[in-house]
Structures are given as C-alpha cells and as structure tokens.
Amino acid sequence: MLDILVSGVGKLPEHWEETVFAGKFFPSIGGGAANSAITLGRLGAVVEIAGKTGDDSFGELINAELCNNGVLTGNLLCQEKTPSGLAIGLVNPEGKRCFITSRGANDTLHPGEFNFSAKKQFGVFFVNGFFQFPQAEGALLKLSKEFRQARVKIAFDMASWDASGRWMGAVAPFVPHISCFFCNTTQLKILTGQEDQKRGAKFLLEQGAGEVIVKMGPLGCTVYGSDQPIHTGAPDLPVVDTTGAGDSFDAAYLFALSKGWTPFECSAFGNTVAGINCGSFGATGGVPDYKTALREMARYYTLPREVS
C-alpha cells in the first residue's frame, strides 16, 4: 500500500460538509506485510515479500522503497491497468490513528501466482493483514499447509478489522497450522468471544496455535504457550505516531525467534523496536537497525543473559 498520513487530526468530521483542519501530511510505504518486511530488512534479516502493486507511480515508489531496505521483491507482482492500494491515515495528537483504505491491486491478489518452489529455504512464512484478502483465503490456506509440510514456521496476524464480520469463521481453518499467532486485545476479544484475555488465548491454543502473542500497546505484550504466560512491559518512550507499531513488533519478535531467543527476550526486542518506531512519523519511519535496537533493549530490560 501507499500510506498518506495526516497529522494533528483533533477530531473527525461529524457530517459530510464539515471541514476539519489538520497538520502535515506524509506519504510513505504501508500495508502490514510491507511494514514487517522493511523492519526485518533493516534489522538485517534475509526477507522476501509476496504481494501486488498497480502499474502506477505509487507501485514504483513501493518497489523502490522495499529494495532500498534490503527486501527481496521477486514475488512482488504488478497488476496491469490497476492502481496500487492506498490508505489515508488520520493521526490524532496522541499518536492514535484510523484509516480510509482503497485496496487497489490487493483485490486481485491470488497466492497461486507466487513462485515458492523452494519452500524449505525459508524459516518463517508470515501472513500479515489477513482480512485484506478475503478472495485469496482458500489458496492461502493451501499454501500455508504446504509451508507447514516443509517444516517452515507459520506466523499470522490479522492486522486489520474484519469488515465482513466473519472473524473466527474465517480464521479457524488456519489456526492449527500457526506457530506464532499475533493479535491485539480488541481482536482477541472479538475473535474468540472471550472478555478475559487468558481465556481467549487458551481458546486459540486449544484450536492448535503454537503460541499466542497478545499486543497490549503501552502495556507491552503477553505470550501464551505451553508454559505459564509471560508478560513483558513496554519501554517508556515518546510517541509521535503508532502507525505500523504492531507490524514492527511482529517482525522484531520473529527476527529474535529465528536467533533462538526465549519468549521474554523476543518480547523485549519486539517492544523495543516498536517503541522506537513510534517516536517517528510513518509506519516504518523510526525502525532502528539491529545494533541500535539491541543497545536500547539493554537500557530498558534486565536480561538473564547477554544476547547478540
């Protein structure tokens, strides 16, 4: 997607003819998968993105930005005679945001078009922004099963609101194949029908998820798995814009997981990268490199061992 973020939105219009003034606007690359891919690229991971742009200047900009951040784009397809996806993000003075989205080329996405012939070369197959692609769910489930059979970890984040209202009905077939299930507290409640977070996570674990990582914004995150839940608080960092925070958390958590770190260490690293990212405008504007993230993590967390 291309994001156009508008800062300083103190209120939303109450009727169609009302004018609401805002601050600056900032165009940048967006979309959950792209945000996570850029984060991984900046941290130094070998990462490839699978997705679609349109044949327009926005698509060229998206492709160039991904390449500039070390993301492989062999499976970033261009849909002819179709615009790229566009999201208008309204950001309030506290850094919270909402979006008006046009899916564009994303509406034509079909996983069968991608070339994943050598699945075993990957460590993780990460589906981010699940509810953005309802037309691709069947093929995406087949692809997830194939990656699982190749002993590749499956990570999953809805990363958006389900406008269709299906929620668990759409997600349920994927859950038994998911190693890392990322969600925030609101999504967890709606998805599972459980007001209690622990019960909601337990529901997903009983459905077959390997671990459930619940993102709690300024309260940090909690990891639920086979052992006792592990809660990790967030570092106290200034917030300018929360756009992309969850995507950068996911990416940092998976990067740390690939290094064999513990759930607490992965959570601390994810919280740190997401917290630093929130200090700048844009979905990936503040994502740090690996050395910076590691140094900042050591400032905010007492780790049981030295990690590198």
Side-chain angles (χ1 to χ4, degrees), residues 130-131 134 137-138 141 156 158 162 164-176 181 187 190-193 203-204 207:
F130 174 74
F131 286 127
E137 287 175 15
L141 178 60
F156 183 94
M158 296 173 290
D162 181 14
S164 72
R166 294 168 302 151
W167 292 97
M168 196 63 195
V171 172
F174 291 83
V175 178
F181 193 111
Q187 292 167 338
I190 298 176
L191 190 68
T192 66
F203 175 85
L204 292 176
Q207 297 297 309

Side-chain angles (χ1 to χ4, degrees), residues 3-13 20-26 87-101 240-243 281:
D3 284 353
I4 298 180
L5 301 175
V6 184
S7 68
V9 181
K11 57 168 286 188
L12 297 177
V20 173
F21 291 99
K24 299 178 180 179
F25 74 91
F26 180 80
I88 309 297
L90 308 179
V91 185
N92 75 6
E94 288 74 45
K96 294 183 179 181
R97 78 285 184 271
C98 64
F99 283 98
I100 301 170
T101 299
V240 173
D241 178 16
T242 59
T243 305
F281 210 59

